[in-house]
Amino acid sequence: MTPDDLAAAVSTLVSTLADEGAFRLDSAPDVRVERPKSREHGDYATNVALALAKQTGMPPRELAGMLAQRLATVEGIASAEVAGPGFINVRLDSATQGGLARTVVEAGPLWGHGTSLAGRVVNVEFISANPTGPIHLGHTRWAAVGDAIARVLAAAGATVAREFYINDRGVQMDRFGASVMAVAHGRPVPEDGYHGAYVVDLAAAVLAEQPGIVDLPEDEQLAAFREVAYAVQLGQQQQVLALFGTRFDVWYSERSLHESGAVERGLDRLREQGHVFEQDGALWLRTTDFGDDKDRVLIKADGDYTYFATDTAYYVDKRARGFDLAIYLLGADHHGYVNRLRAVAACAGDDMDDNIEVLIGQLVKITKAGEEVKLSKRAGNIVTLEDLVDEVGVDAARYTLTRYPVDSPLTLDVAEMIRATNDNPVFYVQYAHARIASVLRNAAELGIDWQAADFDPALLDHERENNLLGMLAEFPRVVASAAELREPHRVARYLEDLATAYHRFYDACWVLPRGDEELAGIHVARMWLCAAARQTFANGLDLLGVSAPERM
RNA sequence: GUCCUCGUAGCUCAGUCGGAUAGAGCGACCGCCUCCUAAGCGGUAGGCCGUGGGUUCGAUUCCCGCCGAGGACACCA
């Protein structure tokens, strides 16, 4: 029995009692079943009686008593008692609780997956770094978290596409090309260009790719440098992200948006909806109709499209491609975009609370020996994704970046992170998985086929077995809330708690027969429990894009 | 100036759709390996949950003010 099953049981019980006339019920309550912090309060507790007290006009304890009496007779429930101001503390019988191990093992890789977001077609856009330099640590947070969000949404039943928007148009690209070209000729990089050391490598790569490039006429050469360097740089970004385990379904080029006529189509769409107007020779979008601070220019007085026009067209295009929810994951420096992007959705005739979502990630601050390292691509002071992975590995990097909510700024000390590698929580969690794998390997070596043996779940009645089962039962709820709130860090935190529960179980409950001991029911039952835990670790780590090692 | 996010243990941070004794990791200290992985387990020390009000049976959680930190406010890209 999972907490959701229990909540459903309580819920039907409430309506049954109301139908019988025990009390008046205006609206069905949102029944919440929780794991109490203290085990003395049972396996589960619910505060329905407290929540319903006002509505029914009954004292909470009296209401709770009525519910508890009936609840105790439900199959699988060992006891139900009223406690405190009106909580109902429920204990499950151990067979019901232990049976969860079988449920988990049989569900396999799908254990924890749900249907709360079934039917939603979601576009998750993240990173979208300019193709003018390497992926750095600022992007890396989203590389890890954005990917995890996509995974979690999919686990909740949504159809998800990961998208990377390539800003391959505009002044920055020209400056980029000019910088690479200058370096290739051994000339100083222009003041407004890119000064990073990586430009030198890029120049070399461009020359290797197209040796004759320096002999082209100046203006042609500039364009050629821009294009070749762009291709090389984008290729590197793609390679590094693949190495990091973040794969995109769509690499969407800004140029293609213009070339395909999507910009005009976007404008048409906005015109149809009637929020476009002309003023001072420019074309504007009245975003203030929907909560933006000021109206925005789409086409400047000189006839050029603004960047905002492109953003707008891009959103309209996403919707036209069939996505009913566009999620944007942006850095804190793009904070001002939130209201205007939402307004864009509304101006396009969409529901800005349902079709668009803009998540802002606070920047990652890096310190080295206690001193802040400033990140600036132009100045060339970069900690890249590649550097990070080289130093701490993909798993530690991904895990460290996904275990914190993105709306709080994160400070990572590079030295600390490297030094603390062995103490990193990721190893604590992975170790639990490897430990289980080892136990089950040993079982196989002993010739034990636990899956074929009789499994009596009622034998799992040790306090730490009970606790571990309780933790396992939480997994589907954790996944669902991580998806609903777009907060994959909840999965990481959960896995850490689960690891504690497992290690404590392992410490107190010997799994395999020792020495010449006969194989008994308790051994089999514990192997089922181990297998269920292993599956949960594997599924949880997978949601974070972190590997679940068989050995460590 | 306006708006947004945040203030929880020495450090880095969880938790909170209002609930029963506020958590983890790191750091400090003390214990536990003649049999399944000690990257583990058990224990000790460490908190006016920034601050002042309000709502409530009940506030670290919700509302308002204040203080502090970070960020955003272009016919830029």
Side-chain angles (χ1 to χ4, degrees), chain A residues 247-311:
Chain A
R247 289 191 174 71
F248 286 89
D249 301 296
V250 182
W251 293 82
Y252 202 98
S253 147
E254 183 188 349
R255 289 179 188 174
S256 75
L257 202 57
H258 285 82
E259 288 159 5
S260 70
V263 175
E264 285 73 19
R265 283 199 299 278
L267 282 183
D268 289 345
R269 171 82 188 162
L270 296 173
R271 283 203 183 89
E272 284 166 25
Q273 296 294 319
H275 301 287
V276 175
F277 66 99
E278 270 185 63
Q279 189 181 306
D280 306 328
L283 193 70
W284 299 66
L285 185 64
R286 203 182 307 280
T287 51
T288 51
D289 286 349
F290 301 102
D292 197 6
D293 317 333
K294 59 182 76 170
D295 293 326
R296 308 282 169 179
V297 173
L298 290 163
I299 301 178
K300 296 187 267 183
D302 64 9
D304 284 349
Y305 288 112
T306 59
Y307 210 79
F308 176 69
T310 318
D311 290 342

Side-chain angles (χ1 to χ4, degrees), chain A residues 439-508:
Chain A
V439 170
L440 295 179
R441 246 192 333 265
N442 294 338
E445 275 169 27
L446 291 171
I448 301 169
D449 185 357
W450 53 271
Q451 298 198 64
D454 265 344
F455 171 33
D456 179 3
L459 295 174
L460 298 173
D461 60 356
H462 189 281
E463 178 235 322
R464 297 202 176 166
E465 291 165 341
N466 173 283
N467 186 49
L468 178 55
L469 284 162
M471 283 302 300
L472 292 174
E474 293 298 307
F475 187 57
R477 299 206 292 190
V478 171
V479 175
S481 73
E484 187 195 330
L485 301 169
R486 328 301 188 215
E487 292 184 345
H489 77 273
R490 287 167 185 275
V491 173
R493 300 293 173 159
Y494 165 78
L495 289 175
E496 289 167 29
D497 290 341
L498 181 64
T500 298
Y502 182 79
H503 288 311
R504 282 166 52 83
F505 154 77
Y506 180 89
D507 192 56

Side-chain angles (χ1 to χ4, degrees), chain A residues 216-545:
Chain A
L216 293 171
E218 187 81 4
D219 52 337
E220 258 178 64
Q221 194 180 137
L222 184 60
F225 263 102
R226 187 187 62 210
E227 292 311 301
V228 178
Y230 161 39
V232 170
Q233 185 60 73
L234 181 63
Q236 279 180 11
Q237 288 187 352
Q238 293 176 327
Q239 197 185 330
V240 170
L241 286 169
L243 179 80
F244 197 58
T246 299
R247 289 191 174 71
F248 286 89
D249 301 296
V250 182
W251 293 82
Y252 202 98
S253 147
E254 183 188 349
R255 289 179 188 174
S256 75
L257 202 57
H258 285 82
E259 288 159 5
S260 70
V263 175
E264 285 73 19
R265 283 199 299 278
L267 282 183
D268 289 345
R269 171 82 188 162
L270 296 173
R271 283 203 183 89
E272 284 166 25
Q273 296 294 319
H275 301 287
V276 175
F277 66 99
E278 270 185 63
Q279 189 181 306
D280 306 328
L283 193 70
W284 299 66
L285 185 64
R286 203 182 307 280
T287 51
T288 51
D289 286 349
F290 301 102
D292 197 6
D293 317 333
K294 59 182 76 170
D295 293 326
R296 308 282 169 179
V297 173
L298 290 163
I299 301 178
K300 296 187 267 183
D302 64 9
D304 284 349
Y305 288 112
T306 59
Y307 210 79
F308 176 69
T310 318
D311 290 342
T312 304
Y314 184 39
Y315 169 77
V316 172
D317 183 73
K318 279 180 183 169
R319 295 277 289 127
R321 281 187 278 142
F323 297 103
D324 62 45
L325 172 60
I327 299 183
Y328 290 75
L329 311 183
L330 304 177
D333 52 340
H334 286 69
H335 190 270
Y337 281 48
V338 178
N339 281 337
R340 86 182 71 157
L341 277 172
R342 282 163 50 80
V344 162
C347 287
D350 288 340
D351 180 345
M352 65 180 183
D353 293 320
D354 192 54
N355 297 119
I356 189 167
E357 218 172 287
V358 185
L359 305 182
I360 293 297
Q362 295 296 316
L363 302 176
V364 180
K365 206 186 295 176
I366 309 176
T367 56
K368 225 167 196 169
E371 218 167 289
E372 187 177 345
V373 179
K374 286 277 182 199
L375 282 182
S376 167
K377 203 189 295 180
R378 301 266 279 278
N381 193 353
I382 304 176
V383 177
T384 66
L385 170 53
E386 220 171 350
D387 294 342
L388 184 69
V389 169
D390 280 349
E391 306 220 49
V392 305
V394 172
D395 284 345
R398 282 190 82 112
Y399 191 89
T400 304
L401 289 162
T402 46
R403 78 186 283 270
Y404 302 102
V406 288
D407 60 7
S408 59
L410 182 58
T411 307
L412 297 176
D413 190 285
V414 175
E416 180 93 1
M417 219 174 145
I418 297 162
R419 186 179 60 73
T421 288
N422 282 341
D423 306 315
N424 193 307
V426 68
F427 293 97
Y428 182 71
V429 174
Q430 287 184 316
Y431 182 61
H433 182 272
R435 239 185 179 180
I436 302 171
S438 172
V439 170
L440 295 179
R441 246 192 333 265
N442 294 338
E445 275 169 27
L446 291 171
I448 301 169
D449 185 357
W450 53 271
Q451 298 198 64
D454 265 344
F455 171 33
D456 179 3
L459 295 174
L460 298 173
D461 60 356
H462 189 281
E463 178 235 322
R464 297 202 176 166
E465 291 165 341
N466 173 283
N467 186 49
L468 178 55
L469 284 162
M471 283 302 300
L472 292 174
E474 293 298 307
F475 187 57
R477 299 206 292 190
V478 171
V479 175
S481 73
E484 187 195 330
L485 301 169
R486 328 301 188 215
E487 292 184 345
H489 77 273
R490 287 167 185 275
V491 173
R493 300 293 173 159
Y494 165 78
L495 289 175
E496 289 167 29
D497 290 341
L498 181 64
T500 298
Y502 182 79
H503 288 311
R504 282 166 52 83
F505 154 77
Y506 180 89
D507 192 56
C509 303
W510 200 271
V511 178
L512 301 174
R514 314 187 194 211
D516 51 5
E517 202 180 344
E518 287 283 309
L519 178 68
I522 186 64
H523 302 127
V524 173
R526 284 177 176 167
M527 282 181 243
W528 275 87
L529 181 53
C530 283
R534 176 169 72 167
Q535 189 68 60
T536 308
F537 281 117
N539 294 4
L541 285 168
D542 184 63
L543 289 174
L544 302 175

